[in-house]
Amino acid sequence: MGLKFYPVEAEHKKPMRLSRYFLPILRETPKEAEIVSHRLMLRAGMIRQEAAGIYAWLPLGLRVLQKVGQIVREEMDRAGAIELLMPTLQLADLWRESGRYEAYGPEMLRIKDRHERELLYGPTNEDMITEIFRASVRSYRDLPKILYHIQWKFRDEQRPRFGVMRGREFLMKDAYSFDVDEASARLSYRRMFVSYLRIFARMGLRAIPMRAETGPIGGDLSHEFIILAQTGESAVFCHSDFLQLPIPGADTDYDGDLSPIIEEWTRLYAATEDVHDKARFEAETPEDKRIHTRGIEVGQVFYFGDKYSKPMQSLIAGPDGVERPFQGGSYGVGVSRLVGALIEANHDENGIIWPESVAPFKIGIANLKVGDGPTDTACLEIYRALETAGVEALYDDTDERPGAKFAKLDLIGLPYQIIVGPKGLAEGKVELKSRATGARQMLSPAEAIAHFSAA
RNA sequence: CGGGGUAUAGCGCAGCCUGGUAGCGCGGAAGUUUUGGGUACUUCAGGUCGCAGGUUCGAAUCCUGCUGCCCCGACCA
């Protein structure tokens, strides 16, 4: 009996008619939402809170979450990291072996199953990845390796707040590097560092690597990647030239020498307030180049050596035949947090302004007079043409007032709006509006379609 | 975890002080109207007043306990 294959077309996100979609817009802001990203995510129907720090991702929010995750995935893969998927629940015994079970404290959610086995909802995966790695890798010949996954984590924060920016349950990419010695481990660290520059840049964010304390995970080399935002959680100090530094290209050779990039991006002063050295800042940074603002941490890279490999006896035989613990690092990106951070960085008084790379849809089509023959026809023509071209569009075919449609489209922040109504059509035109700039141009429907289907 | 709030319809709120069986706006449904930046009007539907005790003839309202949620701080991706 042979296997039978059913070929299917490659999936891509299709356009959607709003009348068939699920987009629960709120006109008023729920009172619990304090910061702008939280307010806008609730109002735009992206998320719904189910418990303190625990959210359901509604369709619009999910699309953004998946796009952010996909960019992270593509850049991890480009840097040579390998994706796997570890479970959310872990055995307590694993954490006892690394010595972290008692150390972690009440932030860790501890659970018992029906057999009274002690489990925990993973707040991170160093212990588990070490266990997976040691089961099969024993030789330096198999190194270096970088493994990662994108998985939900849980940290029982004493005080969750800021919506998805500091939830208890959160989606995180965490990567782990395995090397035979420190020199090699530092090369892995550099790969991840450069990869992070690209990840955030692709989302339209300028993330600045700042020297960081190593925190409970441990180690002696660490950077936090921080985006500048007035509403950020911590005060930051940095050199303004960071805003100008070039982002490594997609053609960056991750097997080559990355040190020039690292040098360029770590030369200038950048620190969060907890490690800020005022004297050094002022000595190294000219007065007119000093930035003092607030920032949101969106990623962190650690080198932690044998912190886990040693207690867990994950040993690698080197070229000399001697076994030693591998040298490790871990590299996190807060995927769900980034969705909030993106809104903090991209909004105005009317709502969200998505960068194209993470927008839930690229275009919103507003039918200003549903039921009017020529208007309906023109909208459908555009909608179908975009569908054929594989352009993600949301067609507002609901029977609402034009003003309500404009407000809704501005709120959910799709990069482009195609506005179709009888007035414009009388001239043979539809309006194309950029959400970011507010620029409008009148085009024929065919021109509007060509504007997006060419690329 | 300390401190402070709050809990009444999907959302935002009033009613509580001075107990008498629940109301407003938005949203939803039906309709008329309107038609390029959240139109106006009419009608309708929707609530075990967080939970459990207690006081009382009677509790959203007073008392006790519990829980959820929010804010400030400490802490954290």
Side-chain angles (χ1 to χ4, degrees):
Chain A
M1 245 201 288
L3 289 174
K4 191 168 178 185
F5 291 95
Y6 298 90
V8 291
E9 286 177 38
E11 290 277 335
H12 63 259
K13 296 280 173 66
K14 291 277 178 63
M16 181 56 69
R17 307 168 75 119
L18 186 56
S19 62
R20 298 176 189 173
Y21 203 49
F22 182 69
L23 184 66
I25 297 275
L26 300 180
R27 191 157 172 176
E28 290 173 86
T29 304
K31 66 175 175 188
E32 74 267 15
E34 196 66 12
I35 62 167
V36 65
S37 61
H38 192 192
R39 285 204 304 267
L40 289 174
M41 287 180 80
L42 290 168
R43 285 199 53 214
M46 294 177 63
I47 54 171
R48 179 174 170 80
Q49 178 168 320
E50 295 299 334
I54 299 177
Y55 295 87
W57 290 77
L58 306 184
L60 195 76
L62 179 61
R63 288 177 78 106
V64 178
L65 188 68
Q66 288 176 332
K67 292 206 167 181
V68 170
Q70 185 57 25
I71 288 174
V72 173
R73 177 175 290 118
E74 287 170 13
E75 292 303 325
M76 282 289 107
D77 292 349
R78 192 194 303 280
I82 311 297
E83 184 171 13
L84 48 66
L85 182 60
M86 290 178 268
T88 53
L89 295 180
Q90 308 184 23
L91 282 172
D93 286 346
L94 185 61
W95 283 61
R96 292 204 171 93
E97 193 179 346
S98 68
R100 286 213 289 176
Y101 191 69
E102 307 305 331
Y104 217 91
E107 266 201 347
M108 186 154 72
L109 180 62
R110 295 154 209 255
I111 306 168
K112 278 188 183 164
D113 69 11
R114 67 196 299 166
H115 304 297
E116 297 289 303
R117 286 291 298 250
E118 292 176 275
L119 300 169
L120 58 97
Y121 198 118
T124 178
N125 286 69
E126 282 85 0
D127 320 77
M128 183 174 282
I129 196 73
T130 299
E131 187 274 326
I132 290 169
F133 180 81
R134 78 174 170 191
S136 55
V137 182
R138 290 289 156 76
S139 165
Y140 77 98
R141 292 171 191 270
D142 293 322
L143 300 185
K145 282 272 184 292
I146 301 176
L147 303 176
Y148 77 96
H149 76 340
I150 298 175
Q151 177 63 291
W152 292 96
K153 306 281 193 293
F154 194 91
R155 290 185 195 167
D156 200 356
E157 296 282 349
Q158 296 172 27
R159 191 187 160 206
R161 60 182 134 173
F162 305 148
V164 299
M165 299 256 292
R166 189 173 168 194
R168 292 194 293 172
E169 187 183 51
F170 56 97
L171 187 62
M172 182 174 175
K173 185 283 300 179
D174 40 323
Y176 304 93
S177 64
F178 305 87
D179 285 278
V180 70
D181 58 27
E182 180 179 332
S184 167
R186 285 174 188 267
L187 296 180
S188 293
Y189 184 90
R190 289 176 178 179
R191 286 186 183 212
M192 291 293 100
F193 188 106
V194 170
S195 175
Y196 276 32
L197 294 174
R198 286 190 46 75
I199 286 171
F200 302 120
R202 281 188 58 188
M203 298 174 196
L205 295 172
R206 167 118 331 205
I208 298 174
M210 303 199 179
R211 202 165 282 282
E213 289 191 271
T214 51
I217 293 182
D220 69 79
L221 180 55
S222 175
H223 287 87
E224 291 180 342
F225 284 75
I226 292 189
I227 62 170
L228 305 183
Q230 295 296 336
T231 49
E233 70 239 302
S234 51
V236 298
F237 303 82
C238 69
H239 194 297
S240 62
D241 284 1
F242 268 114
L243 304 178
Q244 263 50 265
L245 290 181
I247 300 296
D251 57 351
T252 299
D253 176 10
Y254 282 93
D255 294 321
D257 182 10
L258 299 173
S259 53
I261 302 172
I262 304 295
E263 162 63 18
E264 183 169 42
W265 280 87
T266 55
R267 189 176 79 241
L268 301 169
Y269 187 93
T272 55
E273 60 185 333
D274 43 336
V275 296
H276 179 53
D277 180 340
K278 186 167 184 240
R280 235 192 88 200
F281 183 46
E282 291 176 357
E284 295 179 12
T285 314
E287 193 165 359
D288 61 335
K289 298 271 194 182
R290 288 177 202 156
I291 295 180
H292 174 205
T293 179
R294 302 190 69 79
I296 301 167
E297 185 188 337
V298 288
Q300 185 158 17
V301 290
F302 290 101
Y303 166 65
F304 53 66
D306 62 6
K307 181 179 165 94
Y308 301 95
S309 54
K310 196 169 177 183
M312 295 181 71
Q313 285 294 294
S314 180
L315 303 178
I316 297 297
D320 54 5
V322 176
E323 292 191 327
R324 68 207 75 185
F326 73 78
Q327 296 291 305
S330 71
Y331 314 89
V333 170
V335 175
S336 49
R337 156 175 275 213
L338 264 167
V339 177
L342 279 158
I343 295 171
E344 291 295 327
N346 300 287
H347 67 271
D348 64 15
E349 66 279 8
N350 295 319
I352 303 167
I353 305 171
W354 290 113
E356 275 194 47
S357 59
V358 296
F361 296 92
K362 186 170 185 176
I363 304 169
I365 305 167
N367 182 335
L368 296 190
K369 191 162 185 177
V370 172
D372 176 68
T375 308
D376 289 349
T377 302
C379 284
L380 273 177
E381 180 188 326
I382 293 168
Y383 174 72
R384 291 197 174 125
L386 292 173
E387 179 170 35
T388 301
V391 178
E392 296 172 11
L394 181 64
Y395 170 29
D396 187 350
D397 59 339
T398 61
D399 186 19
E400 274 191 298
R401 305 268 314 166
K405 294 195 175 193
F406 296 138
K408 184 182 295 179
L409 279 178
D410 283 352
L411 173 64
I412 68 174
L414 307 185
Y416 299 97
Q417 300 172 8
I418 296 178
I419 298 160
V420 185
K423 276 191 189 172
L425 286 177
E427 316 288 324
K429 303 286 189 185
V430 298
E431 182 179 320
L432 174 63
K433 177 184 157 186
S434 159
R435 176 65 178 88
T437 66
R440 303 149 185 271
Q441 49 185 319
M442 300 303 290
L443 302 171
S444 71
E447 287 169 331
I449 293 163
H451 196 275
F452 295 101
S453 49

